[in-house]
Amino acid sequence: FDIGETTVIPGLAYVYGETRSYHLHEGVEEAFSGVSWIYNAELTVKHDFDSYSFMTWQSEWMRKEQKGTYYEYENNVLINSGEQKVAQEGIYTQLLYAHDQNWRMGARYDAIYKNEMAVVETVLPSTAYERYTAMLEYHFSEFSRLRLQYNYNAALYAETAAGYEKEAVQSLILSFNLAIGAHAAHDF
């Protein structure tokens, strides 16, 4: 809905369903069979200052719960199974400002602040993950843009002699995007 020059877009979602997953980790096959619940709330607010200048704030919260049976196989032989419960929760929020039809800048924060798992009567410690991003973008036209982006990612782990340890990774990205062919007349 619109309030003057401001557009507000809220959203809610709920998903429930059966879940099956499988992956191979260090030679051990891991599988899960059960049910999942996903809850989501989101909000986008965009204010237009004039034809080319605007500010957009966008946020989203999500929670996932799973309950079922966990299986471990080695050489096609069942070596472990039991009840598994998972609860994960996170959020992201970002702010984008367009000064004119050419220049845009933005910042984003995203985090998983709840990451709990209980597997076969063992509760694994909850670990938080965070990432910060800032960007500056120049649009040459509606067909091309140049973006400089900085990321500070505190969500990664490095393997050390003592095991896995949290490691922050910083990156600087310079990208050039060029659109050729059919495209939408205007971006939102």
Side-chain angles (χ1 to χ4, degrees):
F1 57 91
D2 293 328
I3 304 169
E5 299 301 316
T6 302
T7 301
V8 179
I9 306 170
L12 292 172
Y14 168 76
V15 178
Y16 169 81
E18 293 183 15
T19 303
R20 290 180 183 224
S21 64
Y22 166 86
H23 69 278
L24 186 63
H25 178 70
E26 297 180 359
V28 176
E29 298 171 277
E30 299 176 340
F32 172 80
S33 178
V35 293
S36 294
W37 298 264
I38 297 176
Y39 310 90
N40 175 275
E42 57 189 82
L43 178 67
T44 300
V45 179
K46 181 180 180 189
H47 180 77
D48 293 310
F49 299 108
D50 58 38
S51 298
Y52 299 108
S53 181
F54 64 87
M55 183 175 287
T56 302
W57 172 57
Q58 185 175 14
S59 289
E60 182 175 10
W61 166 84
M62 185 175 285
R63 178 177 173 83
K64 177 179 90 170
E65 297 174 4
Q66 286 184 317
K67 185 176 181 179
T69 306
Y70 170 81
Y71 305 92
E72 280 184 327
Y73 294 90
E74 193 166 5
N75 299 322
N76 292 326
V77 176
L78 180 66
I79 59 172
N80 197 6
S81 71
E83 185 180 35
Q84 174 174 304
K85 293 179 183 178
V86 175
Q88 295 174 313
E89 204 166 314
I91 189 170
Y92 85 84
T93 187
Q94 66 183 20
L95 189 64
L96 177 67
Y97 172 68
H99 176 68
D100 55 28
Q101 75 184 90
N102 299 107
W103 288 99
R104 293 183 184 177
M105 62 187 80
R108 177 181 170 120
Y109 169 77
D110 45 296
I112 297 174
Y113 54 85
K114 184 174 192 171
N115 192 22
E116 297 173 353
M117 182 181 294
V119 181
V120 193
E121 299 179 7
T122 302
V123 177
L124 302 176
S126 181
T127 305
Y129 303 93
E130 292 182 311
R131 184 174 53 194
Y132 305 87
T133 304
M135 72 90 177
L136 180 64
E137 196 171 73
Y138 182 78
H139 290 240
F140 295 97
S141 71
E142 59 196 53
F143 304 106
S144 63
R145 71 173 181 239
L146 183 66
R147 175 186 276 197
L148 180 63
Q149 181 172 313
Y150 169 76
N151 298 313
Y152 179 85
N153 191 345
L156 302 175
Y157 282 82
E159 188 172 359
T160 66
Y164 288 95
E165 294 182 10
K166 207 169 199 182
E167 176 184 19
V169 174
Q170 298 181 62
S171 58
L172 190 62
I173 301 167
L174 180 64
S175 64
F176 178 71
N177 292 334
L178 178 65
I180 298 175
H183 67 282
H186 301 284
D187 59 352
F188 177 72

